[in-house]
């Protein structure tokens, strides 16, 4: 029986003695039941590094009430809830005050419930390790002083300052616009420092790699991601809705896409076209289309997606890769996507239609939904290809990272 790409790569690395102990600094610790795109990405990245044979020790925070689910040897710095949608006004004011006092980003301030000294003490207890990986801008903003003097790799989930700039333009109030503008300026300075200091920068999309190269990074690579650790088996299904959208709508770039769909696309849909919106909506928009159903949070994103004849992928802002797009492709479900929704994905399945014009997007949705299950594909093919690319990219990036780290150590 021939070996998988994963087995072949691990065998080659074992022969070279390349296995390492890696410190993985992250705002939220990986959970088995990841829900948000950020958590899904964290889980995939840690899984990929471990699949390559490395010892990975995540250090970060648990979602509020979820400490019992952190069982993989992670170092839990405490519980917190960092979702704006779940926070009351008093909590937001506490975060805002801390952000100004500590001259950090709003997202970074949420994590500063422990001091630099406490984080450094937790890391010291781990003993020697071969490399530091800083996962995402919030952790970098909150604890930059702890790792900036060391050789580290940085994982950029997005070009955050660009996403904040887009959110500022779309803000509905002067206060929100001012906050996003401040966040954009601070993130731009932070990401330039990270680009200059990191031994290697991982991004989740090739466009983001180009952006970090422009910011001064000398070693950059894009990492394809997977959503499900194990490929999902194809299933028989009888959709309840013609289309369905699911996402973290409290995140401004996601909300921009949803609002575009509701205001620009739905007027072109037939009255008998049905669609559901899953995921918590902080403020429910006015929806004029008769076929709309708002579900809020659902028990299973996969079950919801399979209950929809097709999936509109409606990203219009941000950077990085869209995890809901990857999930649709891994499930083999038909979709209609904007160009922004498929950024960072090099090979698209045949049942994905790209449209950016609202009227043509609506027409494609109607056509795709009428095809029903006949448009489904076996998503395991996409998953296997994507996982092989993820492992290869992680491995190549670590090779560049360790080579540069060694060079810096002997200079």
């Amino acid at each position: 029986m021939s070996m998988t790409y994963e087995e072949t790569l691990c065998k080659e690395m074992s022969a070279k003695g390349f296995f390492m102990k890696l410190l993985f600094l992250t705002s939220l610790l990986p959970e088995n039941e990841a829900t948000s795109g950020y958590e899904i990405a964290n889980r995939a990245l840690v899984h990929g590094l471990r699949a390559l044979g490395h010892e990975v020790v995540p250090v970060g925070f648990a979602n509020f009430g979820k400490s019992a689910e952190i069982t993989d040897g992670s170092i839990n710095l405490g519980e917190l809830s960092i979702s704006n949608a779940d926070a009351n006004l008093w909590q937001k004011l506490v975060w805002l005050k801390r952000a100004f006092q500590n001259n950090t980003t709003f997202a970074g301030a949420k994590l500063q419930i422990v001091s630099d000294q406490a984080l450094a003490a937790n890391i010291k207890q781990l003993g020697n390790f071969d490399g530091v990986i800083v996962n995402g801008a919030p952790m970098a903003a909150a604890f930059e002083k702890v790792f900036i003097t060391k050789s580290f790799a940085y994982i950029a989930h997005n070009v955050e300052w660009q996403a904040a700039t887009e959110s500022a333009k779309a803000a509905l109030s002067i206060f929100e616009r001012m906050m996003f503008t401040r966040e954009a300026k601070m993130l731009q300075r932070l990401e330039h420092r990270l680009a200059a200091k990191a031994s290697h920068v991982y991004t989740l999309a090739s466009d983001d790699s180009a952006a970090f190269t422009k910011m001064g990074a000398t070693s950059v690579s894009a990492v394809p991601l997977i959503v499900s650790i194990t490929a999902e088996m194809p299933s028989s299904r009888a959709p309840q809705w013609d289309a369905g959208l699911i996402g973290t709508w409290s995140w401004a770039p996601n909300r921009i896409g949803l609002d575009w769909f509701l205001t620009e696309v739905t007027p072109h849909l037939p009255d008998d076209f049905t669609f559901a919106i899953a995921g918590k909506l902080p403020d429910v928009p006015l929806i004029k289309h008769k076929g709309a159903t708002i579900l809020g949070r659902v028990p299973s994103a996969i079950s919801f997606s399979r209950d929809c004849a097709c999936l509109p992928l409606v990203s219009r802002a941000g950077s990085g890769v869209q995890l809901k797009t990857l999930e649709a492709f891994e499930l083999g479900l038909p979709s209609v996507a904007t160009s922004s929704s498929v950024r960072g994905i090099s090979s698209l399945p045949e049942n994905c239609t790209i449209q950016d014009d609202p009227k043509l997007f609506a027409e494609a949705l109607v056509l795709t939904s009428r095809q029903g299950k006949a448009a489904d594909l076996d998503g395991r093919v996409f998953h296997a290809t994507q996982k092989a690319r993820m492992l290869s990219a992680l491995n190549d990036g670590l090779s560049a990272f360790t080579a540069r780290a060694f060079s810096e150590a002997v200079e």
Side-chain angles (χ1 to χ4, degrees):
M1 181 182 294
S2 61
M3 291 190 294
T4 65
Y5 176 84
E6 180 177 338
E7 291 169 337
T8 302
L9 195 57
C10 287
K11 185 177 180 180
E12 291 175 355
M13 292 173 65
S14 179
K16 296 176 182 178
F18 190 63
F19 296 134
M20 296 188 294
K21 181 178 180 180
L22 299 170
L23 187 68
F24 191 83
L25 297 177
T26 182
S27 53
L28 292 177
L29 294 169
E31 299 176 14
N32 291 329
E33 298 299 324
T35 53
S36 72
Y38 181 76
E39 294 169 59
I40 291 169
N42 292 355
R43 182 181 63 185
L45 291 163
V46 170
H47 167 77
L49 291 167
R50 287 175 172 165
L52 292 171
H54 302 296
E55 179 184 354
V56 183
V57 183
V59 178
F61 300 88
N63 272 312
F64 189 76
K66 297 291 186 72
S67 285
E69 298 182 19
I70 310 299
T71 57
D72 64 346
S74 297
I75 304 301
N76 187 350
L77 300 174
E79 290 188 352
L80 45 73
S81 177
I82 60 176
S83 170
N84 290 335
D86 295 332
N88 56 33
L89 179 60
W90 174 252
Q91 178 62 76
K92 291 178 181 178
L93 289 174
V94 169
W95 289 335
L96 184 61
K97 180 182 178 182
R98 190 184 298 153
F100 277 93
Q101 284 181 333
N102 297 346
N103 193 34
T104 190
T105 65
F106 188 69
K110 296 176 183 181
L111 308 182
Q112 292 179 327
I113 60 173
V114 300
S115 65
D116 289 350
Q117 293 76 14
L119 175 59
N122 274 278
I123 293 173
K124 187 175 181 179
Q125 291 178 3
L126 298 174
N128 295 327
F129 47 85
D130 302 302
V132 179
I133 298 178
V134 181
N135 180 42
M139 197 67 173
F143 301 108
E144 185 178 359
K145 293 178 182 178
V146 176
F147 66 83
I148 200 68
T149 59
K150 301 175 175 62
S151 184
F152 67 94
Y154 173 62
I155 300 175
H157 288 245
N158 303 278
V159 181
E160 299 290 354
W161 75 265
Q162 291 181 356
T165 299
E166 291 171 342
S167 297
K169 292 177 180 177
L172 300 177
S173 70
I174 294 176
F175 179 74
E176 280 188 338
R177 190 174 301 113
M178 291 174 60
M179 283 300 303
F180 279 121
T181 299
R182 176 187 183 272
E183 200 81 348
K185 290 179 180 178
M186 299 205 72
L187 284 167
Q188 187 173 25
R189 291 194 291 267
L190 172 67
E191 288 179 316
H192 273 80
R193 291 196 300 272
L194 293 171
K197 294 288 187 178
S199 294
H200 185 77
V201 175
Y202 287 113
T203 69
L204 306 185
S206 55
D207 287 350
D208 292 359
S209 294
F212 271 89
T213 298
K214 289 182 180 178
M215 284 189 270
T218 57
S219 181
V220 189
S221 62
V223 181
L225 288 182
I226 55 173
V227 173
S228 300
I229 300 303
T230 304
E232 295 286 339
M233 294 288 292
S235 68
S236 59
R237 61 193 193 100
Q240 298 183 37
W241 297 283
D242 292 319
L245 303 93
I246 184 170
T248 305
W249 307 118
S250 57
W251 192 50
N254 283 356
R255 185 56 185 265
I256 290 170
L258 177 63
D259 288 344
W260 173 80
F261 177 79
L262 294 175
T263 59
E264 302 292 332
V265 177
T266 58
H268 300 292
L269 293 172
D271 289 342
D272 61 351
F273 188 91
T274 61
F275 64 92
I277 301 173
K280 188 172 181 180
L281 271 171
D283 54 305
V284 179
L286 176 64
I287 304 176
K288 296 181 180 180
H289 196 279
K290 298 177 181 179
T293 300
I294 297 178
L295 299 176
R297 286 177 173 166
V298 293
S300 168
I302 291 176
S303 296
F304 168 77
S305 296
R306 285 176 169 160
D307 280 338
C308 305
C310 68
L311 300 176
L313 305 171
V314 296
S315 172
R316 301 283 293 178
S319 59
V321 70
Q322 290 287 296
L323 274 299
K324 290 304 174 186
T325 299
L326 293 178
E327 185 173 68
F329 294 172
E330 288 182 13
L331 294 173
L333 301 178
S335 60
V336 179
T338 61
S339 299
S340 180
S341 296
V342 297
R343 60 181 179 253
I345 303 174
S346 58
S347 181
L348 303 180
E350 294 179 359
N351 60 353
C352 175
T353 302
I354 309 299
Q355 283 292 352
D356 289 308
D357 178 84
K359 185 174 186 297
L360 296 178
F361 193 100
E363 292 174 356
L365 273 182
V366 174
L367 179 63
T368 304
S369 66
R370 288 174 180 170
Q371 295 177 28
K373 193 178 182 303
D376 288 6
L377 297 174
D378 187 343
R380 291 175 295 179
V381 176
F382 177 85
H383 183 275
T385 302
Q386 193 78 356
K387 184 173 183 179
R389 290 172 175 167
M390 178 183 75
L391 294 176
S392 179
L394 285 172
N395 182 53
D396 291 346
L398 279 181
S399 298
F401 167 43
T402 52
R404 181 168 172 181
F406 176 78
S407 174
E408 292 173 350
V410 298
E411 286 178 357

